[in-house]
Amino acid sequence: MQIYNTIQQISPCCAALGCFDGIHIGHQRIINSMCSYAKENALDSAVFTFDVSPAALLGKTPRRSLLSHDDKMNILRDSGVEHCFSVDFSSVRNIAPEDFVKAVLIDKIGVKAVFCGFNYHFGRNAEGTSDILTELCRKHGIKAFVSSPVCYGDKAVSSGRIRDLIEQGDILTANRLLGKPFSVEQVITEGRHNGRTVGIPTINQNLPEGFVTPRFGVYASFVYIDGRRYESITNVGVRPTVGGVNKNIETHILGRFYGEMYGKRVRTQLLDFVRDEKKFDSLEELSDQIKADIAHIKESSVYNKY
């Protein structure tokens, strides 16, 4: 997949338009439809998105990303997208909706068909809507396909809804809406080695800047190290028992794992919420609780559900 940070001409293409934060199951439907249409009509497949959410840049909402930029690009690549425009929002924020369609999408890029969600907004002051996009595309002789809401329960799937679920600790539902486990990939940092003293060694990772913060507590998890997946248990929080203050992801790998890990980039996937973070009176009391948490997770068979 070719990635462009500026707007430029490519081969005749169809394009999916949107922020695509999280690339949840609603986004996946748009992108998959676009890729299928591209193949059927001998067009290149493209995505037009932004490196940072416009809402966050404009201060309308705190930045609470669901995906890193690299993960977003990798998922798009794996979906079969051939070109991705990941541009600075400021480069297009003051363009009128008609100029965005005609001057940017059609004349500069070479778009022949566009795909978006029902709630897509674009152009100066977000004046453009999916209905306006459809009308402008009709006017200029290209196709427009607007995806209806993808619902889970009685509500539409959205990035905002998923963020709220993660912050509330309902990671099971969040993962269903994402279509994959919520994950963080970060370098392992050296901790205080408190876990080793009670027989429960852990790996430590920082939460990425600007990421959504999961509810503080203990989770069943997977970690991926050097291409291998391991069952694990993860605490997200500040580690109050040992006087911690900074947000941290601390993971104990179940079973036995040998190897130097400091400095490695490791992916941690959260699978199910177990309990809230709690301050214990001693490391021994904390160790006993973690062992009970592990036994509970194994009994729940959550690992077999993924």
Side-chain angles (χ1 to χ4, degrees), residues 138-177:
R138 184 181 299 114
K139 175 181 176 180
H140 294 292
I142 68 171
K143 299 281 190 180
F145 300 90
V146 178
S147 177
S148 58
V150 173
C151 293
Y152 184 88
D154 59 352
K155 296 181 180 179
V157 174
S158 70
S159 297
R161 182 182 176 191
I162 294 168
R163 290 187 191 96
D164 291 343
L165 288 167
I166 292 170
E167 291 172 345
Q168 294 161 9
D170 190 354
I171 201 71
L172 276 175
T173 304
N175 289 346
R176 292 188 183 108
L177 272 56

Side-chain angles (χ1 to χ4, degrees), residues 3 40 51 55 61 67 73 76 79 82 90 115 119-120 126 132-133 139 156 167 193 203 258-259 263 276:
I3 301 172
E40 293 166 3
D51 52 2
T61 181
L67 277 179
M73 295 301 106
L76 291 176
S79 298
E82 297 168 291
S90 64
F115 293 73
N119 57 352
Y120 178 64
I132 290 173
L133 178 67
K139 175 181 176 180
E167 291 172 345
H193 307 295
I203 58 174
Y258 298 97
D276 285 313

Side-chain angles (χ1 to χ4, degrees), residues 11-24:
S11 302
C13 67
C14 52
L17 313 175
C19 292
F20 300 123
D21 183 21
I23 313 187
H24 57 61

Side-chain angles (χ1 to χ4, degrees), residues 86-99:
S86 180
V87 303
D88 183 347
F89 174 63
S90 64
S91 66
V92 297
R93 64 176 294 182
N94 293 317
I95 299 177
E98 177 151 9
D99 290 337

